[in-house]
Amino acid sequence: MKVPIAAVLFQLLGLLVLYGMIRLAVHWSSIRPLLGQHPRRLQLVLLVALGLVAGFALGRLLPDDTVTPKRLTGTVTWSNEESSEIEFDADGDEPTRFYSVVGRHWIDANGTRHSGGYPSCLSGQQDDPVRSDRRRVELGVIYQESYDLAPDIAVSVRCFG
């Protein structure tokens, strides 16, 4: 799972503040007379420390909504360019599934990257958008919740020939 850099930075900052608070508690007797001379500074330091600890806690508790697609290699047995749906039989123990092709970036059989359009290995003929011959591809897929009737999502396609 990928972790956003901001979350890592918040966690590191929170740990640094926690370390500083522990050092402050350990050396409190020698620091207290200095802070007594500047009560506004003490309030500011404590307020900043509290804000950093709260930010650290929120960074740890909030859900991470990033998704990493699962890479599957297999055979497309049916595709429909108009509906952007395919039937895909993955290698191994994965069941045959329908996917909605939503990714705009794809790689053709020659290794050329494309941005936009429908993958050529999934496209039908000019007068018929449906294609039912077998084609080898690699998909990057994201699975929907099991109670959702929408098909799973293919976010990337790599054609093999």
Side-chain angles (χ1 to χ4, degrees):
M1 172 170 49
K2 294 182 181 179
V3 179
I5 191 74
V8 172
L9 291 176
F10 266 125
Q11 291 174 7
L12 289 174
L13 192 58
L15 289 173
L16 184 63
V17 168
L18 185 60
Y19 172 74
M21 291 175 73
I22 290 170
R23 287 199 44 112
L24 181 67
V26 168
H27 301 291
W28 181 250
S29 61
S30 61
I31 296 173
R32 187 171 181 199
L34 295 173
L35 293 176
Q37 298 169 2
H38 305 285
R40 293 297 245 176
R41 189 176 295 172
L42 174 62
Q43 290 174 348
L44 180 62
V45 167
L46 290 176
L47 186 62
V48 169
L50 180 64
L52 290 173
V53 169
F56 174 75
L58 280 174
R60 291 293 289 164
L61 296 175
L62 292 176
D64 180 16
D65 291 335
T66 59
V67 175
T68 301
K70 181 177 182 180
R71 297 266 173 224
L72 297 175
T73 302
T75 305
V76 173
T77 57
W78 177 88
S79 61
N80 185 331
E81 188 173 358
E82 283 181 354
S83 66
S84 297
E85 289 188 342
I86 61 172
E87 182 178 24
F88 180 73
D89 184 18
D91 297 343
D93 295 335
E94 293 281 331
T96 299
R97 292 181 184 239
F98 282 89
Y99 293 95
S100 179
V101 180
V102 298
R104 302 215 9 99
H105 303 283
W106 56 280
I107 302 172
D108 66 22
N110 296 323
T112 305
R113 296 178 181 273
H114 300 268
S115 179
Y118 197 67
S120 58
C121 60
L122 304 179
S123 297
Q125 300 298 324
Q126 193 171 27
D127 57 337
D128 185 9
V130 176
R131 188 170 170 183
S132 59
D133 57 317
R134 300 174 65 80
R135 289 135 297 149
R136 297 285 295 165
V137 298
E138 177 188 74
L139 299 178
V141 300
I142 298 172
Y143 295 107
Q144 304 271 13
E145 294 291 331
S146 60
Y147 58 83
D148 194 348
L149 296 178
D152 295 320
I153 299 170
V155 295
S156 65
V157 177
R158 179 182 190 140
C159 303
F160 287 132

